[in-house]
Amino acid sequence: MSAKQEDASENAVLHSERTKFWLNDWEVGKKTLTSLRRFLPSFPTLRIMRVSQLDADLLDFELFEILKEQLWQMFSLFRPQFKETFEPELLALLHLIIYRLSIYESGASYGAQLQNLNYRDERKHAGGSQSAKDAPLAPFQKYAFGIMTVGGQYTWTRLNRLLTARGWSEYDDNNPRKIVWKILQKMESAYRIFSLVNFLAFLYNGRYRNLIDRFLSMRLVYTRRSSNRQISFEFLNRQLVWHAFTEFLLFLMPLINLKKFKNIVHRTLLPESYSKYRPFDFLPVHTCAICYENQLDKTMPGASANSTRLHNPYETNCGHRYCYCCIKTKLIQEGGSWRCLRCGEEDTWIREKRKNS
């Protein structure tokens, strides 16, 4: 055998040994890769923040409340019976408009869009597919979502109003109408229980916010997965500052004597003739000018000298009489100095008016 043949046989032996070596390693690694492939569908690679989904729901609710307030203002000139009679229809129409312009067209509500979220067809990703492109909602899902949310809520509201108006809940227990009423109430209770269970499941896995989303396999996902969630605390800081400022004012205002401050400003800026002028010198002696002024300030049409008679009269240093509670309150509020409503003189003390004087 020549040298070349010997070298070729040695190379073949070495190649077969190397091939066996890689084959053994591949068989070992193949089992690991197979187990990993089986685990990938259940691996939660796509995690949507629960707070973002709940915030989207709150934003949708606030938007609806704002539009509803504007809607009621449109019908403010109509009779109140009109609003009470057609309230379910008007709210259903508003829900339908919002649904048509948001979820039906773009696959996401306005609140979800502000939170960088949109709906996808979770049935297309049921096998664990985590592709970068999310499957859009199918036409069936869009139509069914509108029927369940808008139509279902309207039907339930109108049905409850109709049965309540006809008094089906007041019949005997054996009456078919009362039985239907009880069935509807049990259905509502069951729906609330299932909604609670679904919400607890949502808090656990963060997939479906409500029963309709779970039934139709509509899951909220990020519109742009690469974008970071940015939280602005500017509005929160502004609210905290205004709240602290309001609390400080509420603490400070009782400590400020506004009446006394007003009198000081009047004495400083206005002439003395203005401060001494009082238009209540025409009142009879048995009338309290302070009570009369208070009734005029309250714009009471029945204000008269006879309705403001003196009670427990006290006399000021200028010689005019007032009710004790009225004059004492004025002196306390204005810092112990107050100008008489009859003559404009400055009063600083009072004394009880004797009966024989």
Side-chain angles (χ1 to χ4, degrees):
M1 183 180 294
S2 62
K4 291 182 178 182
Q5 292 177 349
E6 293 178 356
D7 293 339
S9 61
E10 292 178 357
N11 291 333
V13 173
L14 292 174
H15 180 70
S16 62
E17 292 178 355
R18 292 174 180 176
T19 303
K20 292 180 181 179
F21 170 75
W22 289 110
L23 286 175
N24 293 333
D25 288 346
W26 168 248
E27 291 297 332
V28 174
K30 188 176 181 180
K31 297 179 180 179
T32 305
L33 291 175
T34 303
S35 62
L36 288 175
R37 288 194 185 97
R38 293 175 180 176
F39 177 71
L40 281 177
S42 60
F43 186 75
T45 56
L46 182 61
R47 300 181 64 88
I48 310 300
M49 297 188 67
R50 299 166 181 80
V51 65
S52 298
Q53 302 181 59
L54 295 177
D55 286 345
D57 198 10
L58 290 176
L59 290 173
D60 292 333
F61 176 76
E62 293 295 334
L63 173 62
F64 179 78
E65 290 296 322
I66 293 174
L67 295 177
K68 185 174 72 172
E69 183 179 356
Q70 299 295 326
L71 181 65
W72 295 150
Q73 290 181 2
M74 290 173 55
F75 296 98
S76 60
L77 300 180
F78 287 73
R79 295 180 178 179
Q81 293 79 4
F82 177 83
K83 176 183 173 182
E84 295 176 0
T85 304
F86 297 100
E87 181 179 2
E89 286 75 14
L90 295 175
L91 295 181
L93 179 61
L94 183 59
H95 274 294
L96 181 62
I97 294 174
I98 296 177
Y99 159 77
R100 178 64 176 81
L101 298 177
S102 58
I103 296 178
Y104 182 82
E105 290 189 353
S106 60
S109 62
Y110 292 112
Q113 294 177 24
L114 292 175
Q115 295 294 325
N116 188 29
L117 298 172
N118 68 328
Y119 279 113
R120 80 173 184 184
D121 189 357
E122 192 65 14
R123 298 174 301 176
K124 303 293 182 62
H125 301 268
S129 175
Q130 302 294 342
S131 60
K133 187 176 181 180
D134 295 317
L137 294 178
F140 165 75
Q141 290 175 313
K142 292 183 177 181
Y143 289 120
F145 185 86
I147 293 173
M148 291 182 179
T149 54
V150 181
Q153 184 175 358
Y154 165 73
T155 303
W156 187 260
T157 303
R158 177 52 72 185
L159 183 62
N160 274 336
R161 285 197 173 195
L162 180 62
L163 299 184
T164 303
R166 295 187 176 183
W168 283 31
S169 60
E170 300 176 0
Y171 286 94
D172 297 333
D173 294 338
N174 297 328
N175 193 293
R177 300 177 182 179
K178 185 62 175 291
I179 296 175
V180 173
W181 171 265
K182 288 184 176 180
I183 292 174
L184 292 177
Q185 297 304 313
K186 290 181 179 179
M187 290 175 57
E188 184 177 3
S189 300
Y191 176 79
R192 294 181 183 276
I193 293 174
F194 286 128
S195 298
L196 176 61
V197 174
N198 178 81
F199 184 73
L200 295 176
F202 167 75
L203 294 179
Y204 176 75
N205 54 29
R207 292 174 66 88
Y208 302 104
R209 292 180 305 174
N210 50 56
L211 291 176
I212 296 177
D213 292 352
R214 182 176 295 275
F215 180 75
L216 298 177
S217 297
M218 297 170 54
R219 184 184 179 188
L220 283 174
V221 295
Y222 290 124
T223 305
R224 297 178 300 276
R225 298 185 186 181
S226 59
S227 61
N228 297 325
R229 186 174 185 266
Q230 299 179 356
I231 303 177
S232 176
F233 294 99
E234 181 181 358
F235 178 76
L236 179 60
N237 294 335
R238 191 182 306 167
Q239 289 294 106
L240 291 175
V241 170
W242 278 110
H243 179 72
F245 182 70
T246 305
E247 291 291 334
F248 176 72
L249 288 180
L250 292 177
F251 169 77
L252 190 63
M253 289 302 294
L255 304 179
I256 300 176
N257 194 336
L258 296 179
K259 295 285 186 179
K260 186 177 181 180
F261 179 75
K262 180 180 178 181
N263 290 337
I264 293 175
V265 173
H266 282 177
R267 294 171 189 173
T268 305
L269 301 179
L270 298 177
E272 187 177 357
S273 59
Y274 176 82
S275 61
K276 288 187 176 182
Y277 171 73
R278 287 296 182 269
F280 299 119
D281 55 353
F282 64 90
L283 294 175
V285 180
H286 62 271
T287 301
C288 177
I290 299 177
C291 294
Y292 188 83
E293 183 186 36
N294 292 337
Q295 287 196 5
L296 291 179
D297 292 340
K298 295 178 182 179
T299 63
M300 296 179 61
S304 64
N306 294 326
S307 62
T308 56
R309 298 182 65 88
L310 286 170
H311 297 282
N312 191 12
Y314 267 65
E315 189 177 74
T316 61
N317 54 274
C318 67
H320 293 104
R321 303 175 189 177
Y322 297 93
C323 300
Y324 172 76
C325 293
C326 297
I327 187 61
K328 193 64 177 179
T329 303
K330 287 291 185 181
L331 291 176
I332 293 175
Q333 288 180 348
E334 304 193 13
S337 176
W338 175 74
R339 290 194 176 275
C340 179
L341 294 177
R342 294 177 178 270
C343 62
E345 294 293 334
E346 188 172 356
D347 295 325
T348 56
W349 54 268
I350 58 175
R351 64 182 179 182
E352 186 178 1
K353 182 62 179 175
R354 297 179 181 178
K355 295 182 179 180
N356 56 1
S357 60

